[in-house]
Amino acid sequence: MSKKRIQNKIAESRKTLPITILYGVGVWLLAGALQHNWWIQFACFFASVYAMIHLNNINLMIRIYSRSVSAAYILLSCIAVWLFPSIAGGIIQLCTVLILLLLFSCYQETDSRGRAFYIFALTSLMSLFEPHYLLFAPLLWLLMSTTIYSMSFRSLLASLIGLITPYWLYAGWMLFKNPMNPWQALEFTNHFTQLRLDVDYQVVTRAQLIYFVLLVVLFIIGSIHFWLTSYMDKVRVRQIYTSLMIIAVYTIILLAFYPQRFDILIYVMTIAVSPIAAHFVSLTYTRMSNIFFITLLTAILILTGMNLWIS
């Protein structure tokens, strides 16, 4: 039996998640949640934490008892203190986890029209806040076809209806508000002009770059470890992690083309990388992995403290 080290004791402890939640609350308070009345943002964040807990529980993403998926999500999210004030970001954060919950629940179910509708309706709804979110629709179709195995003609049709529905309702609302100017109902299409390429890496701050590099490092190390040990996981779990890796790579590509949308896209990458990092921390038992874990935890605390100080 492998010797349990500090990382394993923390990953398998029942106290880890409650302590991490208290830590997350503390970071939000220190960032000024009360002073700035970030109640909606705070609620969205912890609703997304609950959704991550549920995502881990129903999919058994770690083959031992561990709450490290949710704990990793809290620790990584709390580094990006500059994201806290954004209401749209908080809503997108929550809806992204809900989309993944619905997507993974469709595994090998070709007759999942209802869930397919809700997945793409949420995606379309988020694109009303942030048009670049619509770029994830092709990725979701790809995952449904290649890793989740839920694509069928009916689910494809349901997904198209889901994409159209929020815009159709919004156009109807705009027409109701101003019936004398029916063309105003189509003004929402103007925000799609933001999808044009306008690459400017100078808009990325040092704090954002450091956070991105940390996520990439965790993604690479966690992915390598997963593929070396994935034979011990169930097929469903392997497909879920493969989906998360594809999402992370796709988001990195989008960040390369749309660096000015860093704050929105980094939400998705954080959600995708957290389970991958948690899988590595929970299921490695070597001395080197233990040193890496301690170094990682120290780096997370230092970066969070620095971002709190700057904010």
Side-chain angles (χ1 to χ4, degrees):
M1 184 177 178
S2 301
K3 178 182 177 181
K4 287 189 177 181
R5 303 181 185 274
I6 294 175
Q7 70 179 88
N8 311 114
K9 293 177 181 178
I10 292 176
E12 298 174 26
S13 174
R14 294 182 181 273
K15 299 178 182 178
T16 298
L17 183 58
I19 291 173
T20 311
I21 290 174
L22 290 175
Y23 167 83
V25 172
V27 171
W28 273 80
L29 291 176
L30 289 172
L34 293 178
Q35 296 91 322
H36 301 293
N37 295 317
W38 294 339
W39 301 112
I40 297 176
Q41 300 91 317
F42 184 79
C44 286
F45 173 70
F46 277 96
S48 66
V49 170
Y50 178 78
M52 287 292 284
I53 294 172
H54 194 53
L55 182 71
N56 180 39
N57 289 344
I58 64 176
N59 293 293
L60 300 175
M61 298 179 72
I62 308 292
R63 57 179 177 268
I64 61 173
Y65 175 85
S66 177
R67 300 292 188 183
S68 55
V69 170
S70 311
Y73 174 65
I74 294 172
L75 290 171
L76 291 175
S77 297
C78 285
I79 295 176
V81 176
W82 64 86
L83 296 176
F84 289 2
S86 174
I87 294 177
I91 295 172
I92 287 174
Q93 183 180 28
L94 173 59
C95 287
T96 299
V97 184
L98 294 178
I99 287 170
L100 292 181
L101 267 171
L102 290 168
L103 178 66
F104 297 153
S105 70
C106 296
Y107 180 70
Q108 289 188 337
E109 293 186 21
T110 53
D111 188 18
S112 54
R113 293 163 291 174
R115 279 166 288 178
F117 170 83
Y118 289 120
I119 288 169
F120 284 86
L122 281 173
T123 302
S124 182
L125 181 63
M126 291 305 97
S127 71
L128 288 173
F129 293 99
E130 172 52 56
H132 293 80
Y133 203 87
L134 200 61
L135 296 173
F136 286 100
L139 176 65
L140 292 171
W141 280 318
L142 175 66
L143 295 178
M144 289 173 65
S145 301
T146 59
T147 59
I148 305 302
Y149 308 125
S150 63
M151 180 61 79
S152 65
F153 175 76
R154 290 182 175 181
S155 60
L156 176 61
L157 184 60
S159 67
L160 291 172
I161 296 173
L163 280 177
I164 295 170
T165 299
Y167 285 94
W168 177 68
L169 293 174
Y170 182 75
W173 170 249
M174 294 298 294
L175 184 61
F176 174 76
K177 285 179 63 178
N178 194 355
M180 303 304 295
N181 184 12
W183 292 108
Q184 190 178 9
L186 299 177
E187 286 187 359
F188 67 85
T189 57
N190 293 335
H191 79 294
F192 288 120
T193 59
Q194 298 179 43
L195 294 177
R196 66 180 184 274
L197 290 179
D198 184 19
V199 181
D200 181 12
Y201 294 112
Q202 293 182 354
V203 300
V204 180
T205 65
R206 182 178 298 179
Q208 291 173 329
L209 182 60
I210 292 173
Y211 184 53
F212 172 73
V213 170
L214 175 65
L215 291 180
V216 170
V217 170
L218 288 175
F219 168 67
I220 293 173
I221 294 175
S223 297
I224 293 173
H225 167 262
F226 176 79
W227 286 115
L228 292 176
T229 61
S230 61
Y231 64 91
M232 292 186 281
D233 288 304
K234 294 181 180 180
V235 175
R236 177 191 176 100
V237 175
R238 291 204 296 267
Q239 296 303 96
I240 288 174
Y241 275 99
T242 301
S243 301
L244 291 172
M245 291 174 192
I246 294 172
I247 292 171
V249 171
Y250 185 78
T251 307
I252 291 172
I253 294 172
L254 289 182
L255 281 166
F257 285 103
Y258 298 101
Q260 70 275 18
R261 309 314 301 167
F262 180 93
D263 283 351
I264 295 299
L265 295 173
I266 206 65
Y267 281 116
V268 181
M269 189 170 178
T270 302
I271 292 167
V273 170
S274 295
I276 298 171
H279 190 278
F280 170 78
V281 169
S282 302
L283 300 174
T284 51
Y285 302 89
T286 66
R287 181 171 175 269
M288 287 301 297
S289 67
N290 194 56
I291 293 173
F292 175 79
F293 170 76
I294 295 172
T295 304
L296 172 64
L297 197 58
T298 304
I300 288 174
L301 295 175
I302 291 173
L303 290 174
T304 305
M306 289 175 59
N307 289 330
L308 282 171
W309 178 264
I310 293 171
S311 67

